[in-house]
Amino acid sequence: MAVHGLESEPVGSFPSSGIDVLVVGTGLAGLTAAIECIRKGHNVRVLERAATINTLGDMYFMGLPATRFFKHWPEMKAEYDSIGLHNAWIQTFRHSGEEIVKPLYVNERLKAAGLDPKTPPGTFQLRPLIYKMFVKQVERLGIKIEFNTRVVDYFEEGGKGGCVTQEGKRYEADVVIAADGVGSKSQRLVGGQVRAVSSGRAMWRAAFPIENLDKDPEVKEHYKMVTKNEGGEREPIVRTFLGPGTYAMTLTRPDTMIWIINHNATGSSAENWSNTIEPKEVLDTMDEGVGPNPWAPMMKRLIACTPEKTIVNFELLWRDPQPSWKSPNGRVVQIGDAAHSFLPASGNGATQAIEDAVSIASCLQLCGGKDNITEAVEAHIRFRFIRNACAQKVGFSNAELLQDTDWNKVKFDPRRAQPKHPKWVWEHDPEVYTYENYSKNVEAMKKGIRFDECDVPPNFPRGYKFEPWSIEKIMEDMRQGKSIDLGPGNWD
Ligand SMILES: Cc1cc2nc3c(=O)[nH]c(=O)nc-3n(C[C@H](O)[C@H](O)[C@H](O)COP(=O)(O)OP(=O)(O)OC[C@H]3O[C@@H](n4cnc5c(N)ncnc54)[C@H](O)[C@@H]3O)c2cc1C
Ligand SMILES: *[C@@H]1O[C@H](CO)[C@@H](O)[C@H](O)[C@H]1NC(C)=O
Ligand SMILES: *[C@@H]1O[C@H](CO)[C@@H](O)[C@H](O)[C@H]1NC(C)=O
Ligand SMILES: *[C@@H]1O[C@H](CO)[C@@H](O)[C@H](O)[C@H]1NC(C)=O
Ligand SMILES: *[C@@H]1O[C@H](CO)[C@@H](O)[C@H](O)[C@H]1NC(C)=O
């Protein structure tokens, strides 16, 4: 029998399942769940607290596993190819401005770091463009998003899941997918609430129209794109900066300039994508804690060009893996950041959110219908839990690597200037994996065999056995100068 997910199967390929799905939240998790559930034959409604399409944010890394399902969505695939970063360059500097690694194609840097340039583990994407691309697809399918609908609570009763809005309106469905991000209101029902711990770090991040650089022609010249050939064709470039206690990156695209700087959390940082500060605050404090050499003047002048109400001071909070992602009978299930939060530096927040969505839509199709939703949700969580906990840990390890980079060594080993993108993360295809392994997974589940002890091949580091771990322990190790102990198995 053909395995679903290998070939393109557009909408209409699957018969109706009769399962009513309610999706809460229109981040990447919620939007992917909505379109994939439609494609798999489920009925879908979507709720969102924001008043309208929210195109805030700058960029995120989209790993390969999060883009494999585009084969089913020709319009999205075409748009993704047109908005993506093609032939991007990357160059690395000390924070004080000296070049450490000359401009190379990203692919060449991957090769230098021992990765196969033909399969880059993913690409940086502009959130506003990606978000609009998904919303357009949802609209093409005729799915109505009910904006201005803030969910305040979730419930499960009589074989249904449901939620209640701020206005007291109740919604019910066979299964509710809580994709309402960090701090999901479903945490009380699923018993998954974990404490958010400050990492002590934050990021200043800004994305704005490139015309703002006209204010300072030397800045415009300094951060220009790469001119490829005599024809004058220009290509985007990522510039990374490493210093003691800080790292930063800029991205220059034809229309957009982006910069991001990691720094110690301040009173004005918050875990909130609308929390903006003005350039003066950054300029006044950025040289603290970077050692004897201040930031390069060109970085300061770039910051000075940033328009008002644009710089987000985003605080990085850490959370232990959540113990549970579902209500007792599985009628409410969390996906994406609602289930597991990632540090932006992990390069996994967007990727794992999309993988979750593809997985839950597939499991609900595979279970055969309404009667088996509990089974589908439990099987989905077994597929996803250990993989996510491992990806979260890699995120901490990457953050540590970047923050503590000994920038005198970087010249000799570009690998240290590059976060880890392990093979077990980017090789995965969440749809094919689910179709090939669902029945084996369910069989083992019914026998009470742990996922990491059953005969389904792992989608996490081979050889790893899950043991609960905590941020407290990791932080303690860091304080003692120990590097993060990832655990047994092949993490590369
Ligand atoms: C505005 C915004 C900008 C972002 N910008 C970046 C960025 O530049 N770089 C980066 O790495 N990551 C960014 N992120 C985070 C990133 O999108 C997520 O970490 C990742 O994609 C996982 O997505 P998610 O769908 O699980 O969660 P999210 O993207 O957080 O989406 C959650 C959605 O649920 C909605 N919601 C929340 N609470 C409720 C409620 N009670 N009722 C109804 N709806 C609710 C939110 O409005 C949001 O649309 C941003 C997130 C947001 C919301
Ligand atoms: C995020 O910041 C904005 C702007 O300061 C504010 O209006 C909003 O209430 C904040 N959101 C949360 C959840 O704190
Ligand atoms: C930033 O935090 C680290 C760790 O807590 C500390 O050692 C360092 O001095 C701080 N830097 C500044 C500028 O406060
Ligand atoms: C539900 O699952 C069981 C096996 O777990 C299967 O026998 C049954 O056919 C499924 N129900 C439907 C409606 O497919
Ligand atoms: C599980 O899926 C993988 C592909 O993702 C496949 O190689 C493997 O054979 C499957 N395992 C089982 C037990 O069917």
Side-chain angles (χ1 to χ4, degrees):
M1 200 186 76
V3 171
H4 292 299
L6 287 175
E7 303 294 330
S8 170
E9 293 173 297
V11 178
S13 303
F14 292 86
S16 167
S17 70
I19 298 176
D20 289 330
V21 177
L22 178 65
V23 177
V24 180
T26 63
L28 283 179
L31 291 172
T32 307
I35 64 173
E36 280 292 282
C37 281
I38 289 280
R39 195 171 70 80
K40 294 283 158 88
H42 318 311
N43 310 316
V44 175
R45 283 174 301 163
V46 182
L47 310 180
E48 166 59 50
R49 92 177 152 193
T52 170
I53 292 169
N54 184 339
T55 53
L56 289 175
D58 42 83
M59 62 185 183
Y60 35 48
F61 185 81
M62 277 180 73
L64 265 191
T67 60
R68 296 202 159 97
F69 82 103
F70 289 155
K71 64 168 139 332
H72 307 301
W73 300 99
E75 287 111 330
M76 278 174 96
K77 178 143 187 7
E79 187 166 349
Y80 189 74
D81 289 345
S82 81
I83 63 182
L85 274 189
H86 296 290
N87 301 327
W89 294 72
I90 184 165
Q91 182 179 16
T92 299
F93 301 86
R94 292 189 183 161
H95 77 286
S96 45
E98 301 81 31
E99 184 185 66
I100 309 175
V101 185
K102 68 177 169 50
L104 286 172
Y105 275 121
V106 169
N107 284 357
E108 290 171 47
R109 270 283 280 274
L110 291 173
K111 206 159 32 178
L115 287 164
D116 176 3
K118 284 202 284 299
T119 49
T123 49
F124 282 107
Q125 298 291 340
L126 296 195
R127 183 182 185 272
L129 300 182
I130 292 289
Y131 188 83
K132 276 185 247 170
M133 173 185 103
F134 272 86
V135 168
K136 271 191 250 168
Q137 185 59 64
V138 167
E139 286 169 350
R140 272 195 292 270
L141 292 170
I143 308 172
K144 193 166 125 266
I145 301 174
E146 295 182 43
F147 287 103
N148 268 320
T149 308
R150 180 185 290 265
V151 169
V152 292
D153 202 7
Y154 289 78
F155 62 86
E156 172 176 84
E157 61 193 32
K160 299 264 180 198
C163 65
V164 184
T165 70
Q166 199 166 30
E167 285 76 37
K169 191 166 171 197
R170 282 166 70 91
Y171 289 81
E172 270 190 11
D174 296 318
V175 56
V176 178
I177 297 180
D180 47 354
V182 165
S184 168
K185 293 293 182 288
S186 61
Q187 287 178 349
R188 190 193 55 80
L189 178 65
V190 312
Q193 187 130 35
V194 295
R195 206 161 53 90
V197 184
S198 173
S199 70
R201 304 292 292 179
M203 288 176 124
W204 292 308
R205 345 186 22 134
F208 50 90
I210 197 118
E211 291 73 43
N212 286 279
L213 302 191
D214 293 345
K215 292 174 211 159
D216 188 337
E218 282 179 48
V219 168
K220 186 176 176 178
E221 173 64 19
H222 188 82
Y223 289 99
K224 67 174 188 235
M225 299 203 292
V226 179
T227 306
K228 194 175 92 180
N229 49 30
E230 316 80 65
E233 196 184 328
R234 300 208 292 160
E235 293 177 331
I237 177 160
V238 174
R239 295 182 172 90
T240 58
F241 301 82
L242 303 166
T246 188
Y247 64 92
M249 66 188 288
T250 64
L251 168 62
T252 314
R253 296 188 34 130
D255 324 322
T256 312
M257 184 72 215
I258 293 181
W259 59 264
I260 299 176
I261 302 178
N262 180 287
H263 63 99
N264 275 5
T266 60
S268 67
S269 21
E271 193 187 45
N272 178 342
W273 293 99
S274 311
N275 174 48
T276 57
I277 58 167
E278 296 313 320
K280 182 170 184 307
E281 183 178 333
V282 179
L283 294 169
D284 286 350
T285 52
M286 65 189 295
D287 282 338
E288 288 167 18
V290 298
N293 301 312
W295 270 101
M298 274 300 171
M299 183 62 95
K300 294 179 178 168
R301 285 166 68 176
L302 171 65
I303 293 164
C305 287
T306 308
E308 285 180 0
K309 296 195 172 57
T310 300
I311 305 171
V312 176
N313 189 5
F314 191 86
E315 185 159 1
L316 304 174
L317 301 188
W318 286 346
R319 294 176 180 82
D320 293 340
Q322 273 174 213
S324 165
W325 299 354
K326 66 169 188 73
S327 57
N329 292 318
R331 298 301 176 148
V332 175
V333 55
Q334 301 171 326
I335 63 169
D337 280 2
H340 40 68
S341 84
F342 284 92
L343 296 176
S346 71
N348 255 306
T351 307
Q352 298 305 323
I354 290 176
E355 287 188 21
D356 282 355
V358 168
S359 168
I360 187 67
S362 303
C363 287
L364 287 171
Q365 196 268 321
L366 280 159
C367 78
K370 280 187 197 216
D371 301 341
N372 284 343
I373 287 174
T374 307
E375 169 199 289
V377 167
E378 283 172 4
H380 157 79
I381 293 174
R382 279 167 64 92
F383 278 137
R384 305 295 310 154
F385 183 82
I386 300 177
R387 176 170 172 81
N388 265 288
C390 290
Q392 276 174 301
K393 231 186 200 182
V394 170
F396 298 124
S397 156
N398 276 347
E400 178 196 42
L401 184 77
L402 286 169
Q403 256 149 247
D404 297 340
T405 299
D406 177 346
W407 46 271
N408 286 313
K409 285 192 189 143
V410 166
K411 203 187 320 188
F412 307 112
D413 185 2
R415 262 168 292 202
R416 277 195 62 85
Q418 196 146 288
K420 207 186 193 127
H421 290 296
K423 198 169 177 192
W424 61 266
V425 173
W426 60 258
E427 255 191 351
H428 191 54
D429 183 330
E431 188 183 10
V432 174
Y433 186 78
T434 304
Y435 277 94
E436 287 192 358
N437 295 299
Y438 182 83
S439 56
K440 276 235 153 57
N441 183 18
V442 169
E443 204 179 300
M445 182 168 92
K446 287 186 174 156
K447 289 187 193 142
I449 302 170
R450 281 166 58 134
F451 187 64
D452 55 2
E453 283 170 1
C454 76
D455 58 358
V456 176
N459 55 1
F460 50 84
R462 193 168 288 275
Y464 178 70
K465 289 270 179 292
F466 179 73
E467 269 185 49
W469 51 269
S470 74
I471 297 302
E472 278 308 326
K473 173 77 171 65
I474 289 180
M475 281 164 79
E476 187 49 43
D477 285 353
M478 279 169 138
R479 277 192 290 269
Q480 292 177 11
K482 287 190 223 158
S483 61
I484 294 178
D485 172 23
L486 291 169
N490 180 3
W491 286 73
D492 290 337

PDB file of all heavy atoms in Angstrom, residues 283-303:
ATOM      1  N   LEU A 283      21.129  52.046  22.533  1.00  0.00           N
ATOM      2  CA  LEU A 283      22.429  52.712  22.373  1.00  0.00           C
ATOM      3  C   LEU A 283      23.057  53.037  23.725  1.00  0.00           C
ATOM      4  O   LEU A 283      24.273  52.942  23.904  1.00  0.00           O
ATOM      5  CB  LEU A 283      22.259  53.984  21.537  1.00  0.00           C
ATOM      6  CG  LEU A 283      21.853  53.709  20.074  1.00  0.00           C
ATOM      7  CD1 LEU A 283      21.432  54.997  19.369  1.00  0.00           C
ATOM      8  CD2 LEU A 283      22.995  53.032  19.322  1.00  0.00           C
ATOM      9  N   ASP A 284      22.207  53.395  24.700  1.00  0.00           N
ATOM     10  CA  ASP A 284      22.727  53.764  26.020  1.00  0.00           C
ATOM     11  C   ASP A 284      23.296  52.576  26.789  1.00  0.00           C
ATOM     12  O   ASP A 284      24.104  52.748  27.689  1.00  0.00           O
ATOM     13  CB  ASP A 284      21.623  54.415  26.867  1.00  0.00           C
ATOM     14  CG  ASP A 284      21.327  55.832  26.401  1.00  0.00           C
ATOM     15  OD1 ASP A 284      22.110  56.345  25.554  1.00  0.00           O
ATOM     16  OD2 ASP A 284      20.323  56.420  26.852  1.00  0.00           O
ATOM     17  N   THR A 285      22.823  51.355  26.489  1.00  0.00           N
ATOM     18  CA  THR A 285      23.212  50.221  27.342  1.00  0.00           C
ATOM     19  C   THR A 285      24.009  49.140  26.618  1.00  0.00           C
ATOM     20  O   THR A 285      24.542  48.236  27.253  1.00  0.00           O
ATOM     21  CB  THR A 285      21.962  49.560  27.969  1.00  0.00           C
ATOM     22  OG1 THR A 285      21.044  49.257  26.913  1.00  0.00           O
ATOM     23  CG2 THR A 285      21.285  50.476  28.970  1.00  0.00           C
ATOM     24  N   MET A 286      24.110  49.189  25.305  1.00  0.00           N
ATOM     25  CA  MET A 286      24.644  48.032  24.583  1.00  0.00           C
ATOM     26  C   MET A 286      26.118  47.738  24.866  1.00  0.00           C
ATOM     27  O   MET A 286      26.544  46.588  24.717  1.00  0.00           O
ATOM     28  CB  MET A 286      24.388  48.160  23.074  1.00  0.00           C
ATOM     29  CG  MET A 286      25.105  49.290  22.402  1.00  0.00           C
ATOM     30  SD  MET A 286      24.517  49.500  20.686  1.00  0.00           S
ATOM     31  CE  MET A 286      25.023  47.979  19.909  1.00  0.00           C
ATOM     32  N   ASP A 287      26.879  48.722  25.287  1.00  0.00           N
ATOM     33  CA  ASP A 287      28.299  48.455  25.530  1.00  0.00           C
ATOM     34  C   ASP A 287      28.572  47.864  26.915  1.00  0.00           C
ATOM     35  O   ASP A 287      29.709  47.485  27.217  1.00  0.00           O
ATOM     36  CB  ASP A 287      29.122  49.737  25.348  1.00  0.00           C
ATOM     37  CG  ASP A 287      29.352  50.052  23.872  1.00  0.00           C
ATOM     38  OD1 ASP A 287      29.256  49.112  23.057  1.00  0.00           O
ATOM     39  OD2 ASP A 287      29.605  51.226  23.546  1.00  0.00           O
ATOM     40  N   GLU A 288      27.518  47.765  27.749  1.00  0.00           N
ATOM     41  CA  GLU A 288      27.735  47.180  29.076  1.00  0.00           C
ATOM     42  C   GLU A 288      27.929  45.677  28.940  1.00  0.00           C
ATOM     43  O   GLU A 288      27.153  45.011  28.269  1.00  0.00           O
ATOM     44  CB  GLU A 288      26.526  47.445  29.983  1.00  0.00           C
ATOM     45  CG  GLU A 288      26.426  48.899  30.414  1.00  0.00           C
ATOM     46  CD  GLU A 288      25.065  49.226  31.050  1.00  0.00           C
ATOM     47  OE1 GLU A 288      24.364  48.283  31.460  1.00  0.00           O
ATOM     48  OE2 GLU A 288      24.728  50.411  31.091  1.00  0.00           O
ATOM     49  N   GLY A 289      28.957  45.163  29.573  1.00  0.00           N
ATOM     50  CA  GLY A 289      29.124  43.714  29.615  1.00  0.00           C
ATOM     51  C   GLY A 289      29.734  43.103  28.362  1.00  0.00           C
ATOM     52  O   GLY A 289      29.748  41.893  28.217  1.00  0.00           O
ATOM     53  N   VAL A 290      30.251  43.910  27.421  1.00  0.00           N
ATOM     54  CA  VAL A 290      30.886  43.312  26.241  1.00  0.00           C
ATOM     55  C   VAL A 290      32.416  43.424  26.301  1.00  0.00           C
ATOM     56  O   VAL A 290      33.091  43.285  25.290  1.00  0.00           O
ATOM     57  CB  VAL A 290      30.358  43.898  24.901  1.00  0.00           C
ATOM     58  CG1 VAL A 290      28.873  43.624  24.746  1.00  0.00           C
ATOM     59  CG2 VAL A 290      30.635  45.389  24.786  1.00  0.00           C
ATOM     60  N   GLY A 291      32.925  43.662  27.490  1.00  0.00           N
ATOM     61  CA  GLY A 291      34.375  43.682  27.638  1.00  0.00           C
ATOM     62  C   GLY A 291      34.980  45.021  27.254  1.00  0.00           C
ATOM     63  O   GLY A 291      34.270  46.002  27.091  1.00  0.00           O
ATOM     64  N   PRO A 292      36.304  45.032  27.073  1.00  0.00           N
ATOM     65  CA  PRO A 292      37.002  46.301  26.849  1.00  0.00           C
ATOM     66  C   PRO A 292      36.662  46.952  25.502  1.00  0.00           C
ATOM     67  O   PRO A 292      36.749  48.176  25.367  1.00  0.00           O
ATOM     68  CB  PRO A 292      38.479  45.912  26.897  1.00  0.00           C
ATOM     69  CG  PRO A 292      38.531  44.442  26.687  1.00  0.00           C
ATOM     70  CD  PRO A 292      37.237  43.888  27.168  1.00  0.00           C
ATOM     71  N   ASN A 293      36.278  46.145  24.504  1.00  0.00           N
ATOM     72  CA  ASN A 293      36.025  46.723  23.186  1.00  0.00           C
ATOM     73  C   ASN A 293      34.543  46.990  22.991  1.00  0.00           C
ATOM     74  O   ASN A 293      33.741  46.069  23.062  1.00  0.00           O
ATOM     75  CB  ASN A 293      36.510  45.781  22.081  1.00  0.00           C
ATOM     76  CG  ASN A 293      37.995  45.493  22.212  1.00  0.00           C
ATOM     77  OD1 ASN A 293      38.790  46.406  22.390  1.00  0.00           O
ATOM     78  ND2 ASN A 293      38.346  44.213  22.174  1.00  0.00           N
ATOM     79  N   PRO A 294      34.168  48.241  22.705  1.00  0.00           N
ATOM     80  CA  PRO A 294      32.747  48.527  22.507  1.00  0.00           C
ATOM     81  C   PRO A 294      32.242  47.976  21.177  1.00  0.00           C
ATOM     82  O   PRO A 294      33.024  47.527  20.332  1.00  0.00           O
ATOM     83  CB  PRO A 294      32.703  50.057  22.509  1.00  0.00           C
ATOM     84  CG  PRO A 294      34.071  50.501  22.117  1.00  0.00           C
ATOM     85  CD  PRO A 294      35.016  49.434  22.580  1.00  0.00           C
ATOM     86  N   TRP A 295      30.927  48.001  20.992  1.00  0.00           N
ATOM     87  CA  TRP A 295      30.293  47.602  19.729  1.00  0.00           C
ATOM     88  C   TRP A 295      30.823  48.468  18.585  1.00  0.00           C
ATOM     89  O   TRP A 295      31.129  49.650  18.769  1.00  0.00           O
ATOM     90  CB  TRP A 295      28.783  47.773  19.816  1.00  0.00           C
ATOM     91  CG  TRP A 295      28.101  46.546  20.311  1.00  0.00           C
ATOM     92  CD1 TRP A 295      27.643  46.308  21.571  1.00  0.00           C
ATOM     93  CD2 TRP A 295      27.798  45.377  19.533  1.00  0.00           C
ATOM     94  NE1 TRP A 295      27.081  45.058  21.637  1.00  0.00           N
ATOM     95  CE2 TRP A 295      27.158  44.465  20.398  1.00  0.00           C
ATOM     96  CE3 TRP A 295      28.009  44.996  18.199  1.00  0.00           C
ATOM     97  CZ2 TRP A 295      26.725  43.215  19.976  1.00  0.00           C
ATOM     98  CZ3 TRP A 295      27.571  43.746  17.773  1.00  0.00           C
ATOM     99  CH2 TRP A 295      26.939  42.865  18.657  1.00  0.00           C
ATOM    100  N   ALA A 296      30.872  47.879  17.407  1.00  0.00           N
ATOM    101  CA  ALA A 296      31.314  48.604  16.210  1.00  0.00           C
ATOM    102  C   ALA A 296      30.410  49.823  15.995  1.00  0.00           C
ATOM    103  O   ALA A 296      29.187  49.710  16.117  1.00  0.00           O
ATOM    104  CB  ALA A 296      31.238  47.688  14.995  1.00  0.00           C
ATOM    105  N   PRO A 297      30.990  50.977  15.659  1.00  0.00           N
ATOM    106  CA  PRO A 297      30.181  52.171  15.425  1.00  0.00           C
ATOM    107  C   PRO A 297      29.098  51.938  14.362  1.00  0.00           C
ATOM    108  O   PRO A 297      27.997  52.481  14.479  1.00  0.00           O
ATOM    109  CB  PRO A 297      31.205  53.202  14.936  1.00  0.00           C
ATOM    110  CG  PRO A 297      32.525  52.728  15.453  1.00  0.00           C
ATOM    111  CD  PRO A 297      32.447  51.244  15.562  1.00  0.00           C
ATOM    112  N   MET A 298      29.384  51.111  13.363  1.00  0.00           N
ATOM    113  CA  MET A 298      28.389  50.888  12.299  1.00  0.00           C
ATOM    114  C   MET A 298      27.148  50.165  12.825  1.00  0.00           C
ATOM    115  O   MET A 298      26.063  50.332  12.288  1.00  0.00           O
ATOM    116  CB  MET A 298      29.012  50.085  11.151  1.00  0.00           C
ATOM    117  CG  MET A 298      29.715  50.956  10.155  1.00  0.00           C
ATOM    118  SD  MET A 298      28.560  52.150   9.422  1.00  0.00           S
ATOM    119  CE  MET A 298      29.715  53.161   8.527  1.00  0.00           C
ATOM    120  N   MET A 299      27.323  49.331  13.863  1.00  0.00           N
ATOM    121  CA  MET A 299      26.153  48.683  14.454  1.00  0.00           C
ATOM    122  C   MET A 299      25.307  49.738  15.174  1.00  0.00           C
ATOM    123  O   MET A 299      24.090  49.760  15.068  1.00  0.00           O
ATOM    124  CB  MET A 299      26.590  47.576  15.424  1.00  0.00           C
ATOM    125  CG  MET A 299      25.446  46.803  16.040  1.00  0.00           C
ATOM    126  SD  MET A 299      24.449  45.938  14.818  1.00  0.00           S
ATOM    127  CE  MET A 299      25.200  44.310  14.853  1.00  0.00           C
ATOM    128  N   LYS A 300      25.974  50.647  15.865  1.00  0.00           N
ATOM    129  CA  LYS A 300      25.236  51.696  16.578  1.00  0.00           C
ATOM    130  C   LYS A 300      24.492  52.604  15.596  1.00  0.00           C
ATOM    131  O   LYS A 300      23.348  53.004  15.838  1.00  0.00           O
ATOM    132  CB  LYS A 300      26.198  52.511  17.435  1.00  0.00           C
ATOM    133  CG  LYS A 300      26.786  51.675  18.566  1.00  0.00           C
ATOM    134  CD  LYS A 300      27.766  52.450  19.406  1.00  0.00           C
ATOM    135  CE  LYS A 300      28.264  51.565  20.542  1.00  0.00           C
ATOM    136  NZ  LYS A 300      29.418  52.135  21.226  1.00  0.00           N
ATOM    137  N   ARG A 301      25.140  52.895  14.487  1.00  0.00           N
ATOM    138  CA  ARG A 301      24.483  53.777  13.521  1.00  0.00           C
ATOM    139  C   ARG A 301      23.310  53.066  12.838  1.00  0.00           C
ATOM    140  O   ARG A 301      22.324  53.689  12.458  1.00  0.00           O
ATOM    141  CB  ARG A 301      25.517  54.271  12.506  1.00  0.00           C
ATOM    142  CG  ARG A 301      26.419  55.338  13.139  1.00  0.00           C
ATOM    143  CD  ARG A 301      27.650  55.610  12.330  1.00  0.00           C
ATOM    144  NE  ARG A 301      27.362  56.250  11.052  1.00  0.00           N
ATOM    145  CZ  ARG A 301      28.310  56.661  10.208  1.00  0.00           C
ATOM    146  NH1 ARG A 301      29.586  56.494  10.515  1.00  0.00           N
ATOM    147  NH2 ARG A 301      27.981  57.226   9.074  1.00  0.00           N
ATOM    148  N   LEU A 302      23.421  51.746  12.679  1.00  0.00           N
ATOM    149  CA  LEU A 302      22.283  50.984  12.147  1.00  0.00           C
ATOM    150  C   LEU A 302      21.094  51.079  13.112  1.00  0.00           C
ATOM    151  O   LEU A 302      19.952  51.309  12.705  1.00  0.00           O
ATOM    152  CB  LEU A 302      22.685  49.517  11.939  1.00  0.00           C
ATOM    153  CG  LEU A 302      21.556  48.552  11.593  1.00  0.00           C
ATOM    154  CD1 LEU A 302      20.941  48.892  10.235  1.00  0.00           C
ATOM    155  CD2 LEU A 302      22.053  47.102  11.588  1.00  0.00           C
ATOM    156  N   ILE A 303      21.379  50.907  14.392  1.00  0.00           N
ATOM    157  CA  ILE A 303      20.316  50.980  15.397  1.00  0.00           C
ATOM    158  C   ILE A 303      19.672  52.364  15.376  1.00  0.00           C
ATOM    159  O   ILE A 303      18.447  52.497  15.461  1.00  0.00           O
ATOM    160  CB  ILE A 303      20.892  50.637  16.789  1.00  0.00           C
ATOM    161  CG1 ILE A 303      21.315  49.174  16.816  1.00  0.00           C
ATOM    162  CG2 ILE A 303      19.893  50.950  17.903  1.00  0.00           C
ATOM    163  CD1 ILE A 303      22.224  48.800  17.950  1.00  0.00           C
TER     164      ILE A 303
END
